[in-house]
Amino acid sequence: MEAVTSFLVLSLLPQLIVSEVPTSTSYRAVVEIVSGDSRIFSGERLSLRCIIPDPYQASWGYLWFRGSVQLPQTGEIFQLWNANVKESGKYSCQGKKETDVGSIKTLRSLPYEIHVDGGFAILQLAKRSVLVGDALDLKCRLRGNAPVHQTILYRDGIQVMVQSGSSLNFHLPHVTLEDEGRYSCRVSWDLSRRTHSVMSVPTLVNILEVLAKPVLEIDKDNAQLGRNKMNLICHVQYNAPAPAPPVNYYFYKNNNLLGPATSLNHMHVNKASGWYSCRAKVPKLDIVRWSEPRSFGEVTGPPLMPPRPHHRNQMTSRSPVHTFSAPETQPASPKYFASTPSFNQRTESPSPSEAPDPTSLPTSDRLPGQTQTPEPQGVSWGLF
């Protein structure tokens, strides 16, 4: 009887072991663009790469997705050849490898959005994310080769920059949070004694603060701290490029400092009624941000608002309108514009020009150098 029991246990042991083997890893795949741009014309091509951050450099296979649909491509490099408007979408990838106990997959990558535009003009960003205080560089691409004489940049339908000549590049220095919006461009040229113009679809431009406004969380039900303790957590989004200087955290009760600066974003304190807040500071960048005060327990009266110190890299005003006119004899080359932003300054001119509806498209014979009839622009609207 003991022999039979031992045989049954040994026969079930492999099944028990296999059932506990994980089918996924903690690695998250990453999609990066190899060639091309996230916004391209129909008929063009681009390449994406799937990166598996595996420290052991194991051999992985690759799965590609557009939205929730798995694609037939299985290589590390994904390519769009002669792209079609219908191939616009959010692309992601996932690593997969076979082992003795079955398939193991990585976490799927965050989506990388691709726009295939069937129109005549595209506005492209030099960087996918722009920080407050940085420069915003954009390029208005035109399908075909036309003798451009004017290019206009719009934000949310309002004209913000006009330049004469053949330059299709825009440069906005020292952007602020109010420079965020949907940008589009209009290109005009003369041909056969007629003026033609085309308009790009809007492109969303996100402006990120280097140090976003903190949010204080009061964790009062943490069983590990005991009945009389609670945890103050200062959540903050820090977008400084690597190597980023450190952030110091300060915690307050009724605007009274609870302790020295710390590199940790949390602090254990005794449970006591009052208004709590936190402050995040990056000394090397001269940036300070305060959270909104939060109450705990029974408090009376309005919250005590902390001071709002000046910090040089967190500007909030818009850049002014820029205009450039190239001399008639000047060769066609990109022109860059610079201005010093000032506070309480509006971007709109006294009589702003409204951006026209991008529905009037020229025929193919109006675009010199046109080699392919573009697809209808109406189906190519999309945002980054």
Side-chain angles (χ1 to χ4, degrees):
M1 184 64 182
E2 293 180 357
V4 173
T5 303
S6 300
F7 175 77
L8 291 175
V9 171
L10 292 175
S11 63
L12 292 175
L13 187 59
Q15 300 180 21
L16 295 175
I17 294 176
V18 171
S19 63
E20 296 180 357
V21 173
T23 58
S24 62
T25 70
S26 59
Y27 311 141
R28 181 178 294 279
V30 178
V31 173
E32 71 171 10
I33 193 163
V34 179
S35 64
D37 193 87
S38 59
R39 186 179 291 272
I40 60 175
F41 285 122
S42 56
E44 294 184 332
R45 50 182 277 187
L46 65 81
S47 299
L48 303 175
R49 174 185 285 118
C50 185
I51 300 175
I52 309 298
D54 182 1
Y56 303 104
Q57 298 182 347
S59 178
W60 291 88
Y62 302 90
L63 305 176
W64 287 93
F65 303 85
R66 183 172 61 242
S68 59
V69 178
Q70 183 173 340
L71 302 173
Q73 289 86 343
T74 57
E76 178 187 6
I77 303 296
F78 175 89
Q79 292 183 325
L80 283 180
W81 299 89
N82 192 23
N84 188 281
V85 170
K86 295 180 180 179
E87 293 178 299
S88 298
K90 297 180 179 181
Y91 287 79
S92 59
C93 71
Q94 188 175 28
K96 178 182 179 181
K97 66 178 179 179
E98 300 295 334
T99 68
D100 294 337
V101 293
S103 298
I104 296 180
K105 296 180 180 179
T106 67
L107 299 176
R108 191 182 297 187
S109 70
L110 297 177
Y112 196 104
E113 192 159 9
I114 299 297
H115 297 269
V116 182
D117 198 304
F120 289 87
I122 290 177
L123 187 63
Q124 294 179 335
L125 299 176
K127 295 187 295 185
R128 292 178 63 86
S129 60
V130 183
L131 296 179
V132 168
D134 286 353
L136 173 61
D137 291 299
L138 309 101
K139 181 178 181 179
C140 190
R141 287 190 59 207
L142 180 64
R143 191 195 290 265
N145 299 312
V148 176
H149 67 76
Q150 185 185 67
T151 311
I152 304 176
L153 181 68
Y154 299 90
R155 177 181 58 242
D156 298 328
I158 303 299
Q159 176 181 304
V160 295
M161 182 181 290
V162 183
Q163 58 189 37
S164 299
S166 59
S167 174
L168 299 175
N169 296 278
F170 297 98
H171 179 80
L172 282 71
H174 310 300
V175 296
T176 70
L177 291 178
E178 293 189 3
D179 288 312
E180 185 172 273
R182 290 178 170 85
Y183 285 74
S184 56
C185 64
R186 178 187 179 102
V187 183
S188 301
W189 68 93
D190 293 328
L191 185 65
S192 301
R193 291 185 292 182
R194 295 181 60 185
T195 299
H196 308 280
S197 65
V198 292
M199 188 88 175
S200 72
V201 298
T203 298
L204 180 62
V205 175
N206 292 312
I207 309 296
L208 303 177
E209 292 182 280
V210 177
L211 185 68
K213 183 177 181 178
V215 175
L216 179 68
E217 176 188 356
I218 301 178
D219 181 12
K220 60 182 182 298
D221 298 320
N222 193 323
Q224 298 178 350
L225 300 180
R227 296 178 55 187
N228 299 323
K229 292 282 188 178
M230 62 183 183
N231 192 22
L232 303 180
I233 308 172
C234 193
H235 298 283
V236 67
Q237 182 179 354
Y238 187 33
N239 299 308
V247 181
N248 293 336
Y249 297 91
Y250 304 80
F251 294 87
Y252 297 81
K253 176 190 173 186
N254 298 330
N255 276 358
N256 295 315
L257 187 61
L258 294 176
T262 174
S263 60
L264 302 177
N265 73 330
H266 59 86
M267 173 179 283
H268 301 158
V269 298
N270 293 323
K271 290 183 177 179
S273 299
W275 290 99
Y276 291 85
S277 59
C278 69
R279 177 166 64 105
K281 180 179 180 180
V282 185
K284 289 187 177 180
L285 300 181
D286 191 23
I287 299 177
V288 177
R289 298 305 306 270
W290 287 81
S291 72
E292 294 293 335
R294 296 197 61 181
S295 63
F296 175 78
E298 296 182 2
V299 294
T300 59
L304 298 174
M305 301 303 293
R308 304 297 182 189
H310 169 71
H311 36 82
R312 60 181 175 84
N313 285 342
Q314 303 288 119
M315 299 177 291
T316 58
S317 64
R318 285 195 175 186
S319 303
V321 178
H322 306 281
T323 304
F324 176 81
S325 298
E328 294 182 359
T329 58
Q330 185 169 334
S333 61
K335 302 297 174 186
Y336 297 92
F337 312 92
S339 65
T340 303
S342 59
F343 288 90
N344 301 322
Q345 185 175 20
R346 293 181 61 83
T347 314
E348 295 83 351
S349 57
S351 300
S353 301
E354 295 293 334
D357 189 349
T359 56
S360 177
L361 298 178
T363 58
S364 58
D365 62 332
R366 299 179 186 175
L367 286 170
Q370 180 70 39
T371 59
Q372 178 179 351
T373 302
E375 300 171 42
Q377 183 163 345
V379 296
S380 64
W381 281 78
L383 301 176
F384 275 107

